[in-house]
């Protein structure tokens, strides 16, 4: 199992600053590449910071949760401000997948520029998903009107993430 690492074992090899979200190595790595005092980890292509601890790679936001709470998160850790490198503890929260999906950036391939809005022939259609149900919110003359309908529905269906 991956989560054999304990908070005590973690604290022996790195220190974590809750205000900055940075991990600092307390010991040299076995291969000698990372030295005590160095910022721990590297930024991966996904934008998340990964840290090798005792021969296993972990995501820094999950390590931050373990470091502060003493327990592994039971589900996902969400970066509230959507910045995957911002591992300040105040920016992290434990959520299920549904809540985590509500706090995401607009996809690059989104043609409307608005979450939940897409072109439907000559009009703009708004849709939202909640509890595995897709809700059709209507069609509108402008993407801004469709986005307003989406935002209204989001504030009701996903109050925590809105």
């Amino acid at each position: 199992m991956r989560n054999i690492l304990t908070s005590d074992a973690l604290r022996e090899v790195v220190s974590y600053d809750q205000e900055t979200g940075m991990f600092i190595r307390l010991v040299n790595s076995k291969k000698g590449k990372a030295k005590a005092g160095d910022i721990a980890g590297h930024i991966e292509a996904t934008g998340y910071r990964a840290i090798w601890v005792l021969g296993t790679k972990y995501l820094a936001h999950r390590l931050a949760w373990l470091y502060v709470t003493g327990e592994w998160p039971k589900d996902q850790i969400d970066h509230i401000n959507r910045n995957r490198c911002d591992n300040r503890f105040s920016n992290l929260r434990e959520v299920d997948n549904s809540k985590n999906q509500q706090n995401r950036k607009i996809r690059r391939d989104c043609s409307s520029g608005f979450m939940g809005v897409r072109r439907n022939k000559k009009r703009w259609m708004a849709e939202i998903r909640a509890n595995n149900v897709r809700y059709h919110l209507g069609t509108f003359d402008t993407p801004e009107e469709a986005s307003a309908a989406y935002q209204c529905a989001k504030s009701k269906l996903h109050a925590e993430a809105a």
Side-chain angles (χ1 to χ4, degrees):
M1 304 313 261
R2 268 193 68 127
N3 294 340
I4 295 173
L5 180 67
T6 65
S7 58
D8 290 335
L10 177 62
R11 287 186 188 100
E12 289 179 12
V13 295
V14 294
S15 67
Y16 169 68
D17 183 340
Q18 292 184 45
E19 300 299 316
T20 65
M22 296 305 295
F23 284 88
I24 304 296
R25 291 205 166 276
L26 298 176
V27 296
N28 296 336
S29 67
K30 288 184 180 179
K31 294 182 181 179
K33 291 182 180 178
K35 307 286 185 210
D38 288 351
I39 293 173
H42 64 280
I43 306 298
E44 299 208 312
T46 59
Y48 292 107
R49 178 171 290 276
I51 301 172
W52 285 89
V53 178
L54 304 175
T56 303
K57 183 169 70 170
Y58 298 94
L59 294 176
H61 54 281
R62 296 186 69 78
L63 290 178
W65 195 266
L66 173 65
Y67 195 98
V68 173
T69 68
E71 296 180 0
W72 282 101
K74 292 170 184 55
D75 209 335
Q76 298 179 14
I77 298 297
D78 179 36
H79 291 82
I80 296 168
N81 69 3
R82 300 180 184 151
N83 180 344
R84 295 175 173 183
C85 292
D86 185 353
N87 292 309
R88 293 173 296 129
F89 194 73
S90 62
N91 186 47
L92 305 176
R93 64 180 177 166
E94 188 173 17
V95 296
D96 62 17
N97 185 58
S98 176
K99 285 188 177 65
N100 202 5
Q101 292 301 310
Q102 286 305 311
N103 188 28
R104 66 175 196 248
K105 294 178 181 177
I106 297 173
R107 292 172 44 136
R108 279 187 243 166
D109 63 351
C110 176
S111 61
S112 71
F114 296 98
M115 185 83 68
V117 176
R118 64 183 173 90
R119 190 86 155 149
N120 183 18
K121 298 182 182 173
K122 294 184 178 184
R123 297 187 52 134
W124 296 92
M125 183 169 64
E127 291 182 333
I128 193 168
R129 286 183 69 93
N131 302 318
N132 292 323
V133 177
R134 181 178 298 191
Y135 297 92
H136 175 72
L137 305 174
T139 55
F140 304 87
D141 292 328
T142 68
E144 291 81 9
E145 290 172 328
S147 178
Y150 175 86
Q151 292 301 325
C152 181
K154 183 175 181 176
S155 69
K156 293 175 185 169
L157 295 171
H158 305 292
E160 201 173 292

